[in-house]
Amino acid sequence: LFIPWSAMASFSGLTEEIIQRLAGYGCIGLKLGIESANSQVLWNMHKSVDLRSVAGIINRCRQCGIKTHLTFSLGFIGETLEDIRETILYAQSLDADSIQVSIATPLPGTEFFKRAKAEGWLVDAPWESYDAKRSSVIYPFCFYDKNLGKIRKDFLGQWFIRKAFSPRWIFNHLPIIFRTLKGLGCVLFFKQLIAILIDESKNKKEIRYSI
């Protein structure tokens, strides 16, 4: 009996052989955490990701019929705006099926929360603010005068709009597209689409991203 299933996984130890075996057991989707494309930020998170191997793993998953959903985080300790730009460019370079972008949030009981509390980084915010979407609940260091919620939306919007130029991706991900339009709002979506079309018309090789 073939039962399709999905799972959260780590890039650590995920080989082509394991991917093929997972597909043989019915796996159709993997949620994989990258969080950042900057090695120092990853080190601060105590997270081990070989960024050079990610593209190959994603391609192998596609060959085996496994969809990939990547997660990224913004506003972690020591992260700069340039680090975020680096992560955005890296995310654009990968051929993942979907992504998730969150604001780094220290939830009670985690090492992140204990450190933030001990260092006095926690801001006076209601529990509703711990949704990892609207704003940071730790003193945001270099993000003090920036809106991480807007940066997060821009990150997602630019990624999905770039994907909109791929007919194959559109056909395979119509439900995701409708959810994105609902979440971002049509006005923001099409504003970014127009900006990217202008950018493409100038034949710029580097993705323009302004905060």
Side-chain angles (χ1 to χ4, degrees):
L1 178 64
F2 183 86
I3 301 177
W5 54 276
S6 300
M8 291 187 289
S10 170
F11 281 106
S12 178
L14 192 59
T15 64
E16 290 191 4
E17 180 183 357
I18 292 176
I19 292 171
Q20 188 169 352
R21 291 178 64 184
L22 291 174
Y25 294 143
C27 180
I28 60 171
L30 289 176
K31 182 177 182 179
L32 300 157
I34 295 180
E35 314 316 336
S36 174
N38 183 273
S39 58
Q40 182 60 49
V41 175
L42 290 175
W43 188 86
N44 290 340
M45 292 181 179
H46 305 296
K47 186 174 182 64
S48 177
V49 178
D50 182 2
L51 296 171
R52 297 168 299 179
S53 68
V54 170
I57 290 174
I58 291 173
N59 290 335
R60 185 55 179 162
C61 284
R62 172 165 288 102
Q63 292 169 3
C64 292
I66 298 176
K67 290 188 176 183
T68 50
H69 177 79
L70 307 182
T71 67
F72 296 92
S73 296
L74 306 177
F76 200 76
I77 299 167
E79 189 174 40
T80 67
L81 294 178
E82 188 57 40
D83 295 334
I84 287 183
R85 292 189 183 97
E86 181 182 358
T87 298
I88 292 171
L89 290 171
Y90 182 72
Q92 296 282 10
S93 73
L94 300 173
D95 194 20
D97 293 291
S98 59
I99 67 169
Q100 172 182 324
V101 183
S102 304
I103 295 173
T105 303
L107 297 177
T110 64
E111 181 182 345
F112 187 13
F113 181 87
K114 294 176 183 177
R115 181 181 178 187
K117 186 175 181 178
E119 298 288 346
W121 294 337
L122 288 175
V123 300
D124 186 15
W127 178 245
E128 291 77 13
S129 298
Y130 284 72
D131 63 356
K133 294 181 179 180
R134 292 176 294 177
S135 60
S136 177
V137 295
I138 60 173
Y139 183 81
F141 308 101
C142 61
F143 299 104
Y144 185 71
D145 60 347
K146 303 295 180 182
N147 186 335
L148 277 179
K150 181 180 182 301
I151 296 172
R152 172 184 170 272
K153 279 192 173 184
D154 287 346
F155 189 158
L156 280 169
Q158 291 191 26
W159 189 90
F160 279 109
I161 291 171
R162 293 283 173 178
K163 284 294 185 179
F165 288 96
S166 169
R168 174 181 61 83
W169 187 88
I170 292 175
F171 180 78
N172 291 332
H173 298 87
L174 284 174
I176 295 176
I177 294 172
F178 288 128
R179 287 201 301 270
T180 303
L181 276 170
K182 183 179 179 181
L184 292 176
C186 291
V187 174
L188 177 60
F189 184 89
F190 286 108
K191 277 185 177 180
Q192 294 197 36
L193 177 59
I194 292 171
I196 289 176
L197 286 172
I198 294 173
D199 189 39
E200 291 291 331
S201 68
K202 295 178 181 179
N203 294 318
K204 289 185 177 180
K205 294 183 179 179
E206 183 178 31
I207 297 171
R208 182 177 61 194
Y209 183 77
S210 59
I211 298 174

